[in-house]
Every structure is written in structure tokens, then in C-alpha cells.
Amino acid sequence: MNRRTVVVEGPLAFRMRRVAAARNAEAGVQITTLPQLAARLAGGFVRPTRSQDLDPAIRSALEAGGFIDLEGIRSLPGMTRSAASTLTRLWNADFSLADRTHESTRLQDLAMIEARVQDNLPAGVLTSRDLRDAALRRVPFAPAVLGPIELDRVVQVAPVWRPLLIALARVVPLRWRNPGAADFAWFAGAVEIDERPTPAAPEVVSCAAPRAEVVEALRWVRELIASGRARPDEIAVCATATEDWDEHMLVLATDAGLPVHFSHGVPALASREGQACAAVADILLNGLSQNRVRRLFGHAAGRSRALEALPQTWSEGLRPGAALFELDQWRRALEDAHARKAEAVDVRPIVGSVLELLARGPDAAAEAGDLLLGAAARALWTEALRRAAPEALEFSLQELRLPDGRDPGACAVWCPASHLAAAPRPFVRLLGLTTRSWPRRVGEDPLMPSHILSREALDAESITDRDRRAFELVSAYATGGLVLSRSRRNAQGGLQAASPLVPKGANTTALRRARIPRHAFSPADRLLARPQEAESFPSVRSADACWRDWRNPGVTGHDGRVRANHPMIAKAIGEVQSATSLRVMLRDPLAFVWRYALGWRSLVEEEQPLSLDTRAYGELVHDVLKRTVDALEAGPGYEKAARNEIEAALEAACATISAQWPLERSTPPLLLWRHTLDAARELALKALTLDEAFQPDTRSWTELAFGQTEAAADPKRLWPPTAQVIIPDTAVRIRGSIDRVDYNAARNGVRVSDYKTGAEPPRAEEIVLGRGAELQRVLYAIAARQLVPDDPRVIARLVFLGADQPRPHRLPDVDQAIADIGVHVTAAIDLLNRGVALPGPDAREDWNDFALALPASPTTYFQIKQAALARAFGDFASIWSAR
């Protein structure tokens, strides 16, 4: 068997040459790269330096310190990567640092790093220059070890390997087939240049954005395959750097079901193992939270050593609204959950030990990966930690790539242009033909700027020259078809100019994003190309009708018009209402249907808030008031309590809430949470000391509930929490909790107070229903009148605690207000029963939870619909102008 060696460049060329050898039944062929060829010749189980070997060696070299120029930056997160890049470029340029240390202190530092790296590398692992020198010493054995050598479409040979090839040419047949380099005069072997075929005339197109470029590329691939013009292995799509298109290509190619091979690998985060690593990194870098821990345990439970015995029901008993940002909160929440579960497995030892580990942050990264990740994910984790410090896990995980498992010999290929230059294909589409990408601009080396060492000494060929060379080679072999594509705008929306590599005078075809293609790349794209077929799909037909109805100046079904007496709306109206639901009914009937008839909910904020929203803050103040008054009533009685007793009860209530609330809902960080509690305590103190004196026999309650479906009876309360309340002249039942009730049995009088945490608005004394937005005070009055015996005299007050000096604003005519709310609620129910569930004034507010379900441009939408909505609402709209 005759032995011969074929040298290729890049992963795509390596695999395609193996495919060619298999198809041609070639025997005795060694397909290798130049570093691998040198290692084979050097023998002794030596191998080239890989990043897995180089990065730890550089990290150890930097940790030793003692530098002149680099001492101040040696511990920065990106220093290892920068040093590896600079040393690799110097080695490839065959630059001897040891001989040039006298020229600058920077070169002295790099020479010191190089020497330490050589000492720190594993046995048998050699740098490029050392490997080349070792191979040179064994050149006489090349005929037996390597046989004849052929460089197959190698685009460029780094200077470090040139002495070895010159020496090999003296002892073995050496030829360079189809060199891509502009200068190969140094080459001592035979040069064989095949006659280049006539390339196809380029077609120049422009697309809206990078995603549109990928869509058009996949349409082009589908067309070539479907028409029989090309096999998948004859098609390539490439760019100088693939990052801007990788995500779109991965998602859309998967959706299309096209055979597309990623020669540079797919992002590791697109795999299940990568997501498991991301879940661990998220907690280590951003801290504990219930959402993050649930995500991690979903990946790791049953697949890792630490969580192998964790049951799937581990989270039963945890309150979903609790954020749990602190380890102590987790401990108390797990204790509370375990106490409320009957005959359940105790998960506290398992979960607690894992949380203690994760709470240590990035310092525990290595141990956390070992305990919480499976074998495949653990390999990714180790590689990410090798590339960068634990604090930079977010970025190192994003850079990791995995083989996609596809055979390039049976697939179209998506790759960097440098890969395709060494293995050209007849049908090529180049993406990103803009001034920014084709060619890329030369940048300064971070550790070896040009004022220290010239670019010519650092690089035999600049990145700009390499891109130009790749464009020339790829275009020259594109005999079947060549498409030059660019985006008119980048991903951020900025305009982009065409690359200087685009032929001058070439006609550019602008491909519109919504155009109908000749060949669709996916089922969804096919529906775009066949409007008649798309119309047969109910979802498409409905979406089209919605789009047209939103631009119709009349009221349509997509604006909220439904059939009369709809059973779901009737069911929602028949439920027990609250002040919140009645406000939505009166001020935004469409939102009432969405929320209470269809059950839609807005998304809960997952991240730790810096402050409580208005509603949560109001609940906090009311909780403080309730706990304080309840504590005082158990002692001297609220009406008899001195100010110091009230303040002491407030402190105890705030202490309880400080510990309890984080176990039930999301709260701000500790310092801001304390500040929020202090502010809530001040407002509560204003409310509790608003009335300096009480008449004899007066009792007070806070958060006095009514209309509840289930609640424990309390004989100390003025009425049972399940007591039913109905709005007069309607069948609407209501429920709620009155902020404060003061009752004097001797005088048969009851006073209800509605506390607002905000600032007092102008003309607050004139507020009755507040245009349908301030209903609590009137509803409280209805409850007091119906539930307190002997038809008491009712005083209803509204207090804005956010004012410097809060003043109670009494409802001027309680009976008239009760009658008015009955009229308005009846009108709202009649409107809904007639099927007029249209958006009201609250739909136009920025805080509207259902804004996502409205048109993207609500201002334009309401301008179109304004007259029609006014006619449809009719007299009902009068509540929106009533004070």
C-alpha cells in the first residue's frame, strides 16, 4: 500500500476531503492539517497546542506576576484570551520573542509569559514554533512516515510552517494543488494549478435586515434542490463572520427541514445541556430566586449527583408569588412548605445543601458544575470555565459551539468564508456584503499594537486581505450560481452601504420582506406565497379580518362587539364583584370581558423589583394597618391606645411583615425593602393618628372583610366575613375589605374610611365616584348600611395619606352616591348584555395591563374608532365625566 499525505485547511475542507477519498476508494491516504503533519513527523506522542492546553498555561503564567507593562492588567477577565490570541499570532508569524526583548518592555513581558507557558504545558504538547523545530529534526524520516505530500487548496501557509515544507521538499515529493495564496514563490515543491472554470455572473440582491437575508438564502437553497439544478452538497451560504445570522439560520433552517450543515458548529446554548449550564450560571451570577431555582431543578433533577434523589413534587407548598432572593428566605419557605404538606418526603436536606452551594456565587462554579450537571453538560461547563473566569460565564457560554451532527457531504453548508475558501462549491450565496463585513477592517492587537510591533511582522496577511482572498476564491469556483446579498439595515436599524467588493455597475435587486417568493422554504413561507391557500386556514383568516376591522371606522367584532346575552359574560357578571372588577366594568368593558370572562392575566414580574408597584404598596400599608390595629385591640383597645403604644405596635407589625412578605411575594433588595417599610410605617402612623380623640364606646377595625366565599368566623368582628352585600336596585353581589371601620353602638353611627397611599389630587373634596375610578368609599358605605343592624348613620371618608397633612374627605350625600352607583352598574351590565364590550378610557392609559392585546398603535386606532365608540356607548359614557 502506497502511503501519501494530503494537507487541508479548515474543518469543512477536512471533512469534504474525507468524503472525496471515500467516494474515490482511495487507500493509504492521510488527511491532515499542517500542525498535525508536523506532530506526526516529530513523533514521540507530541501534539499541537490546543486552547484546552494553552489557556490554563497562560492563566498560570499571568498569576505568577512580575511583569513590567502588563502587571496592572494581568488579572482582568479577558487577559487570558488576549494573551492567547497575541501569542498564537506571534508563533504563526515565526516571531522570536526571546531575540527581541531588548526592543520594548512589552516584548519582555510577552517573552516571560511565553517561557512560563512552555514550562506549564502538559508533556508532549508543543507550541507551533517548538513543534516545527521538533519536526525539522526528523525530516529524514518523512519518506517512511508521510510519503508524498500534497497541499490541497490550502489558501495560506503561515510563516512558521514554511521552513518545514522547504525541508520536506528535499526528501519527499511535495506539491501544492490550487494554492490560494497570492505569493507562493517561497514554496520549494511543485505547484499545480487546475484550470479554473468560468464563474457564473453574480446576482446582487438587497434585503431588509439580517433575518430577511437568511429567509431569502433558504428560499434559494430550496429552489436549487427542488428544481434539480443542484445537490445539497453543491450549495453553500457564507459570511465573513457568522454571528449576526447564526441564530436566524438555526431557527429557520430547523423550521424548514432543510439539510444545512454548520461547519463552525451550532451554539451550545441551543442544546439542552447548554441550557442546563445557563441555568447554573444564572443563579451563580445573578443570585437566588424561585424562578431561577425551579429552572435549574427542572434541568438537573434526576440527572445530576446532587439532585438524583429529588422528587418531582419537591416544590409543593412553596408559594408561587414568593421571589425568595435570599438563602434565609429559602430556609423559612421550605420549613413553612414542609409544615403544610402531609406525609411528604422531606426535601429540605437536599434542596438546602444545593442552595447553600449556589449562594456562594461564582467562587463555587467548579463545584456547582460537578454536582448539578450531567456528563455532557459538565463537559461544556468545564470548557466555559477554562476559557474565562467564573465571573464571565455569561459570555464564555455564549461562545461555546457543538458539532451539529450533519454530514457536509450530504448537506448544504452554512459557514464562515474562510472555511469555504478551502473547499469551494459551485452554488454560493454570500451574506452581509456591506462595508462593515466584506472585507472586515484591520484592528489593533490588544497586547501588541502597531507602535510596538508592525502589523506586517505580526501577520503575514491582514484580516482585510484574507477576506478579499476568500471572496476571490469563493467567487471564482461558483460556476453554478453566485448571489451577493446584503442588508439595507443592520439588526439595530442603522443604514448600511454596499461592500466595495460588489462589482461596479451591477444591478441590485431589492427583495421586499413581504414579497411572494417563487419557492417557499417552510410551510409558513408557503402560505405567504399562496394567499388563496392561506385563506383556508382559520387562524390566518381571523388575523386578516382583525387587521381590516381595526382600520374600519365602525364598531366590529374585533373591537369588542359580541352577541347579546353571551353566557360567559353573564357568568362573569353573576360572580361576586370587587371594587377593582367594578372599576374595570365601568371604565373598560372590553378589559372586563378579557379579565373576568376569559380569565386573561398579565405576566408577573420575574426579576427582583427595586420598588413595589402602586397596588402592592397600597396592600403593604393596609397590611401594616391591619396588624397594628389587631394588636392594639387585643390590648388596651385602639381607641384607648396612646401614641407610644401605637408606635410600638407599628414596629412589631413591620417586623413581622419584613420577615413574612418575602416568603409570599417579590420584594425589593434588603436595603430598599427596609426603606419601603419605613415609608409604609409613616403612612400608617398618619392614618392611625388622624383622629386624635374618640367618642366613648367607639370600637375600630381595619381590613374588615365582607362578601367572602370562605372565611373563619370571628366573634370580635362587627360582622362575619362571609356576610353578603348587594348593590341596591341591582342583583350584583360585592366583596372587599374596608380599610377602617369605627362603630359607636350608643349613637348608632358607623364611619368607614378608604385610605389612598398617593398624593391628594386637586379638588379632592368634590370626588364622589371619581369618573368610575373611586368606588371603594361608596361600596364600603353600602356594606356598612346593610351589615350593621338598626339602620345606622353612615359616614364615608376618603383619606390621601401621601399628603403632608392628610385630611378626611367625607362623602357629601351617601344616599345619592349609593343610588348613582346602582344606576351606573345597571347601565354597564345592560351594555355588556347587549354585547357592547368595547374599550373604555382606561384602555388608553400607559399602565393598561391588556395593552398587548390592543393594536400596536393605540393612538391611531382610537382616532379611527372615536366616533363609532361614542355612538356605541351612548349615555353610558356620562360616568366618565362625573366627579
Side-chain angles (χ1 to χ4, degrees), residues 269-284:
L269 291 179
S271 66
R272 182 182 182 89
E273 293 76 15
Q275 283 300 303
C277 294
V280 178
D282 192 17
I283 297 179
L284 294 177

Side-chain angles (χ1 to χ4, degrees), residues 112 142 330 434 447 659 670 769 782:
M112 184 184 299
W330 270 101
T434 64
L447 299 182
L670 183 59
L769 297 179
I782 295 173

Side-chain angles (χ1 to χ4, degrees), residues 544-583:
D544 181 67
C546 179
W547 187 88
R548 297 179 186 279
D549 283 350
W550 276 347
R551 286 154 182 78
N552 186 335
V555 171
T556 68
H558 288 102
D559 301 310
R561 174 81 71 179
V562 297
R563 64 183 174 91
N565 300 314
H566 196 288
M568 294 188 70
I569 296 179
K571 180 181 178 182
I573 294 173
E575 299 289 340
V576 181
Q577 305 297 322
S578 65
T580 301
S581 65
L582 288 177
R583 171 186 172 140

Side-chain angles (χ1 to χ4, degrees), residues 535-773:
E535 290 177 356
S536 65
F537 284 76
S539 58
V540 175
R541 190 164 58 245
S542 176
D544 181 67
C546 179
W547 187 88
R548 297 179 186 279
D549 283 350
W550 276 347
R551 286 154 182 78
N552 186 335
V555 171
T556 68
H558 288 102
D559 301 310
R561 174 81 71 179
V562 297
R563 64 183 174 91
N565 300 314
H566 196 288
M568 294 188 70
I569 296 179
K571 180 181 178 182
I573 294 173
E575 299 289 340
V576 181
Q577 305 297 322
S578 65
T580 301
S581 65
L582 288 177
R583 171 186 172 140
V584 177
M585 182 189 293
L586 293 174
R587 292 190 56 83
D588 194 358
L590 181 58
F592 179 85
V593 173
W594 285 344
R595 173 65 178 82
Y596 298 99
L598 299 180
W600 292 6
R601 300 287 193 279
S602 59
L603 293 177
V604 179
E605 181 68 31
E606 295 184 356
E607 297 299 325
Q608 186 170 23
L610 296 180
S611 63
L612 297 179
D613 59 29
T614 304
R615 180 174 180 178
Y617 185 65
E619 293 173 357
L620 174 63
V621 174
H622 291 153
D623 196 10
V624 172
L625 287 171
K626 180 181 184 303
R627 292 175 185 271
T628 303
V629 173
D630 287 349
L632 291 172
E633 285 295 328
Y638 167 52
E639 72 281 357
K640 299 177 183 179
R643 184 181 179 93
N644 65 318
E645 293 175 315
I646 293 175
E647 291 178 349
L650 268 174
E651 289 293 337
C654 288
T656 302
I657 292 173
S658 176
Q660 189 64 29
W661 265 49
L663 306 184
E664 300 175 354
R665 61 179 75 198
S666 180
T667 56
L670 183 59
L671 185 61
L672 294 177
W673 174 228
R674 290 173 179 170
H675 175 76
T676 303
L677 277 174
D678 290 342
R681 181 171 56 245
E682 292 299 320
L683 291 185
L685 184 61
K686 288 182 182 180
L688 293 171
T689 57
L690 180 66
D691 303 297
E692 296 183 356
F694 290 89
Q695 295 178 350
D697 300 322
T698 298
R699 291 200 61 190
S700 297
W701 296 266
T702 60
E703 298 299 318
L704 191 57
F706 62 90
Q708 306 299 317
T709 55
E710 294 182 5
D714 186 353
K716 297 181 181 180
R717 294 284 175 175
L718 186 57
W719 57 69
T722 55
Q724 297 296 304
V725 178
I726 299 176
I727 297 178
D729 301 323
T730 73
V732 176
R733 297 171 295 160
I734 57 175
R735 59 181 170 84
S737 294
I738 304 179
D739 295 345
R740 176 173 161 186
V741 178
D742 302 312
Y743 176 55
N744 189 298
R747 295 177 176 269
N748 195 26
V750 60
R751 182 174 64 188
V752 295
S753 300
D754 177 22
Y755 293 129
K756 302 294 183 184
T757 57
E760 182 176 305
R763 300 167 60 188
E765 67 280 357
E766 299 179 10
I767 296 176
V768 178
L769 297 179
R771 299 181 175 88

Side-chain angles (χ1 to χ4, degrees), residues 239-458:
T240 52
T242 62
E243 290 80 6
D244 290 344
W245 298 270
D246 268 338
E247 182 179 345
H248 303 307
M249 185 67 74
L250 180 63
V251 173
L252 295 177
T254 302
D255 182 46
L258 285 169
V260 178
H261 168 63
F262 286 59
S263 71
H264 54 296
V266 296
L269 291 179
S271 66
R272 182 182 182 89
E273 293 76 15
Q275 283 300 303
C277 294
V280 178
D282 192 17
I283 297 179
L284 294 177
L285 297 177
N286 300 316
L288 296 172
S289 77
Q290 184 169 179
N291 287 331
R292 296 186 189 116
V293 171
R294 283 178 179 269
R295 176 192 176 195
L296 171 59
F297 284 15
H299 283 288
R303 298 182 180 88
S304 63
R305 289 189 294 166
L307 300 177
E308 186 176 4
L310 187 70
Q312 293 183 349
T313 58
W314 71 273
S315 61
E316 285 185 0
L318 291 178
R319 301 181 187 275
L324 304 180
F325 295 119
E326 303 293 337
L327 182 59
D328 182 63
Q329 295 173 4
W330 270 101
R331 291 183 178 131
R332 289 186 283 118
L334 290 171
E335 291 286 347
D336 181 61
H338 182 71
R340 290 189 285 111
K341 290 191 296 185
E343 300 180 1
V345 177
D346 188 0
V347 300
R348 290 175 296 174
I350 301 175
V351 176
S353 61
V354 171
L355 294 179
E356 289 176 5
L357 172 65
L358 294 171
R360 289 161 49 191
D363 292 340
E367 186 178 353
D370 186 54
L371 292 176
L372 298 174
L373 298 174
R378 194 159 56 245
L380 291 176
W381 187 258
T382 303
E383 175 66 12
L385 289 177
R386 182 192 61 75
R387 293 192 176 195
E391 291 78 7
L393 274 169
E394 178 183 357
F395 304 102
S396 57
L397 284 172
Q398 290 176 359
E399 294 176 352
L400 291 182
R401 292 188 170 272
L402 297 172
D404 66 355
R406 291 184 178 271
D407 181 3
C411 297
V413 67
W414 160 241
C415 61
S418 58
H419 290 192
L420 189 60
R425 296 191 171 194
F427 293 88
V428 178
R429 192 180 188 99
L430 307 182
L431 304 188
L433 263 294
T434 64
T435 53
R436 187 175 70 92
S437 300
W438 284 90
R440 290 169 290 180
R441 297 175 184 175
V442 178
E444 290 280 9
D445 185 275
L447 299 182
M448 193 60 65
S450 56
H451 70 273
I452 296 177
L453 188 67
S454 67
R455 291 174 180 170
E456 292 74 15
L458 189 61

